[in-house]
Amino acid sequence: MTIAAVIATRAAIGALTIAVTVVACMTHGGAREASPTYGDCEVSGRYGQFKIAPTSRGVLTVDASLPAPGWWNGKSPGLIRDGYEYCMAANIAYRAGLDRVKVKNEPIAEIVTGKTKDFDLALSEITITRQREKVVDFSPPYLSASQGVLTKRGTAIDSRTMHHIRIGVLAGTTGEKFVESRLKPAGPVTAFHSAPDMISALAHGHVDAIVHDTTILLAYAQKSGGTLTVVGQYRTGEHYGALYPKGSPNEASMDRIIRQMIEDGTLAKFSAIYLGQAYGRDPAGIPYFPIRPASG
């Protein structure tokens, strides 16, 4: 091969390398040829509009306490395809320029006490409280919450009988605190360490009712095939927020993304699609029990 031919060949290789690099940058930069996929979730907004420094490169790592039908639809972290909070996480990832969501299943008591590690945020219907803010940080509220009462269908329970029956709660939750500090029933209260154990105890007659977030209990009632029902709820002035590791450098950016999703209607859309399907009934139509029923 002549010197001229060698020079020409090297020039062609160099041009090809530059072209490949440009295509790669277009694929992974601002001008994308194809959007990443996040299960069956629809994403919106502008890819990579906000910048965060994730725990794992290119991945949004999210703590959740599963199962949580309607919120996280799937039997295990690797099988989650959609749901209100999963699709919320997917949109946070998309708007932060991250191509994948990694779900870690953690006990809710561990999440809210700041004991879990190596995650970017937690989304698990977590109520914002001052006590929790001592060890973790929260996003702006994205949904209101109340404490519901789940029983077997046909069980006669009202605001008066609630004070004398066997009640089940989930350990480490605001439902547990509400029952202990505000409802103060005369009957026994049992704290369970997982939602499946709590639901199983009710189904097998070990407790008479469960007090937990109304929206979560509605999903379990819907899934029970009519054997369980939410008979009442308590107004507690609670709100759900995304939870961050204390002092997270990503808090400001993720707060902006969540506010954007509230303002552009994304989260309202997810509520109608996923929670509406999971509940099968309007939470607003469930009667409110007084915390202190009238005597007599």
Side-chain angles (χ1 to χ4, degrees):
M1 183 180 291
T2 66
I3 294 176
V6 170
I7 292 173
T9 300
R10 290 179 176 175
I13 293 173
L16 179 60
T17 301
I18 292 172
V20 170
T21 302
V22 170
V23 171
C25 289
M26 290 181 66
T27 303
H28 296 283
R32 302 178 60 84
E33 291 187 345
S35 296
T37 58
Y38 311 90
D40 296 326
C41 296
E42 177 185 341
V43 293
S44 59
R46 180 159 63 86
Y47 179 86
Q49 179 181 356
F50 302 92
K51 301 301 179 185
I52 71 170
T55 299
S56 297
R57 185 176 180 181
V59 178
L60 184 71
T61 303
V62 186
D63 279 358
S65 188
L66 307 175
W71 303 91
W72 300 84
N73 293 328
K75 294 182 179 180
S76 64
L79 298 177
I80 301 293
R81 300 295 301 173
D82 58 21
Y84 182 107
E85 286 178 330
Y86 178 75
C87 291
M88 180 179 175
N91 275 265
I92 292 173
Y94 181 79
R95 299 180 194 203
L98 307 177
D99 291 350
R100 189 164 68 89
V101 174
K102 177 183 177 182
V103 182
K104 293 171 59 185
N105 189 11
E106 302 280 4
I108 189 66
E110 299 287 307
I111 295 173
V112 299
T113 52
K115 295 179 181 178
T116 58
K117 306 296 181 183
D118 302 322
F119 71 103
D120 299 309
L121 77 161
L123 292 169
S124 198
E125 311 88 69
I126 303 171
T127 304
I128 301 169
T129 71
R130 290 183 178 178
Q131 183 66 27
R132 291 172 177 175
E133 286 177 327
K134 294 178 182 178
V135 292
V136 297
D137 291 329
F138 283 101
S139 73
Y142 60 83
L143 201 66
S144 297
S146 63
Q147 292 297 320
V149 179
L150 182 72
T151 67
K152 284 185 177 180
R153 186 172 293 280
T155 304
I157 290 179
D158 58 22
S159 61
R160 286 193 178 90
T161 56
M162 280 294 295
H163 287 264
H164 305 283
I165 62 173
R166 299 168 300 165
I167 297 176
V169 295
L170 192 60
T173 64
T174 56
E176 179 185 30
K177 184 176 180 180
F178 168 77
V179 171
E180 292 178 346
S181 64
R182 298 185 65 189
L183 196 60
K184 298 180 180 179
V189 177
T190 303
F192 297 89
H193 291 284
S194 76
D197 288 345
M198 182 174 65
I199 300 299
S200 177
L202 176 64
H204 289 89
H206 301 310
V207 295
D208 301 307
I210 286 171
V211 175
H212 194 49
D213 293 26
T214 302
T215 50
I216 300 173
L217 294 184
L218 281 171
Y220 280 111
Q222 174 77 347
K223 193 177 180 181
S224 75
T227 62
L228 303 178
T229 183
V230 178
V231 295
Q233 60 184 326
Y234 294 96
R235 285 189 175 92
T236 56
E238 298 173 324
H239 298 88
Y240 293 153
L243 179 151
Y244 309 130
K246 194 68 175 175
S248 169
N250 299 316
E251 181 174 343
S253 291
M254 287 196 283
D255 279 359
R256 291 173 65 195
I257 296 174
I258 291 171
R259 288 192 186 96
Q260 187 182 72
M261 289 194 292
I262 294 170
E263 292 168 0
D264 66 19
T266 296
L267 296 186
K269 181 178 180 180
F270 290 159
S271 179
I273 294 173
Y274 299 112
L275 301 186
Q277 290 175 356
Y279 296 166
R281 62 187 291 196
D282 182 5
I286 299 171
Y288 282 94
F289 286 170
I291 295 176
R292 293 282 179 269
S295 59

